[in-house]
Amino acid sequence: MDTGAEAYRRYLDGDDGGLAELIRLYRDGLVLYLNGITDDMGAAEELMEDTFVKLAVKKPRFGGKSSFKTWLYAIGRNMALDWLRKNGRERTERLSQLPEDIAYMNGAAAQPELCYMREERDAAVQRALSRLSPDYGSVLYLSYFEGFTNEEIRTIMNKNGRQVENLLYRAKQALKAQLEKEGFVYEEL
C-alpha cells in the first residue's frame, strides 16, 4: 500500500497526524497541477485546501483501484472544473508562468555556467508550457513532473487510454513547436 493510502487510513481511524502527512506529501504538486487548470495561483491554493477539507469532512472512501495520489488529483481536478464552471471561466490558453523553482540546481556552486544554462533552458520550457492549452500542459505536467503513468493520467483526467496517448503525443509536438518558435534547440523528449 502506498504512503498516501496508509496515511489516509490512519486519519480515518482517528489519527489526525495522517491528514497532516497527506497535506505535507501532496500539497505542492497538487497546487501546481490545479494552477495549470485554473490559471490562477490563488484559486489553485484555495482548491488544494478545499480538496483536503473534503477529505477531512466528508471522508470519501478510497477504493484502491488506483494509487492514492491519482485518486487525490482526480478529486482536485473535479473541484477545479466545478470552480471554472461556477466562475464562468472557460479553459482557454494559459498565459501564466510555471513557478521558477523547477530549475535544476545540482552542482550550481561548482559550475555557475552550467547552472545558468539550465536556468535559461528551464525558463524557455516554462514559457512554452504556459502557452499550451490546459489539457496539453496538464498531461505533460502529470507525466513528466509528477511521474504518473498513462493509466493514472487516464483516471485523473477522466479520459480513455487512447485519448491520453494521443494527448501526450500532441502535447509533445505542440511543446516542440513552441520551443522552436522561441529559437530553442529541441532535443527528443
Side-chain angles (χ1 to χ4, degrees):
M1 182 174 286
D2 67 86
T3 307
E6 182 60 36
Y8 188 57
R9 183 178 348 178
R10 284 196 341 261
Y11 171 71
L12 293 176
D13 291 340
D15 179 10
D16 289 339
L19 184 62
E21 184 178 343
L22 289 174
I23 293 169
R24 182 184 52 76
L25 286 171
Y26 300 116
R27 73 170 172 239
D28 294 336
L30 186 58
V31 165
L32 291 174
Y33 174 64
L34 295 172
N35 183 52
I37 295 172
T38 62
D39 191 28
D40 183 336
M41 185 56 88
E45 289 173 351
E46 287 180 28
L47 288 165
M48 177 270 302
E49 291 170 2
D50 291 346
T51 301
F52 287 113
V53 166
K54 183 174 185 170
L55 292 184
V57 175
K58 293 191 177 183
K59 300 178 182 174
R61 189 174 80 73
F62 171 62
K65 294 179 181 176
S66 63
S67 73
F68 182 82
K69 186 176 180 180
T70 301
W71 180 72
L72 179 67
Y73 274 52
I75 291 171
R77 177 182 183 272
N78 290 335
M79 294 184 82
L81 293 177
D82 289 344
W83 180 86
L84 288 171
R85 278 190 289 274
K86 186 167 74 171
N87 290 297
R89 295 189 182 194
E90 293 183 19
R91 297 179 66 203
T92 57
E93 200 169 316
R94 297 182 297 156
L95 298 176
S96 68
Q97 298 247 344
L98 292 176
E100 292 294 325
D101 62 353
I102 297 176
Y104 301 97
M105 296 304 290
N106 296 341
Q111 300 176 350
E113 309 87 29
L114 182 59
C115 180
Y116 175 76
M117 289 171 44
R118 285 181 178 160
E119 287 175 359
E120 286 299 309
R121 180 197 63 208
D122 291 343
V125 171
Q126 291 170 7
R127 281 190 306 274
L129 279 170
S130 72
R131 291 182 178 101
L132 298 179
S133 73
D135 277 348
Y136 287 178
S138 292
V139 76
L140 290 172
Y141 177 80
L142 291 171
S143 180
Y144 292 103
F145 293 103
E146 289 294 331
F148 282 116
T149 65
N150 285 6
E151 184 67 22
E152 292 170 323
I153 294 170
R154 181 190 67 77
T155 302
I156 292 169
M157 295 185 74
N158 197 26
K159 302 213 180 276
N160 67 39
R162 187 70 178 154
Q163 288 173 316
V164 168
E165 289 173 13
N166 288 338
L167 199 56
L168 263 172
Y169 176 78
R170 290 182 183 138
K172 286 187 232 180
Q173 295 303 312
L175 180 60
K176 177 182 177 181
Q178 191 64 45
L179 287 170
E180 287 173 348
K181 273 187 200 174
E182 294 185 19
F184 188 79
V185 178
Y186 178 78
E187 297 175 15
E188 286 298 317
L189 292 176

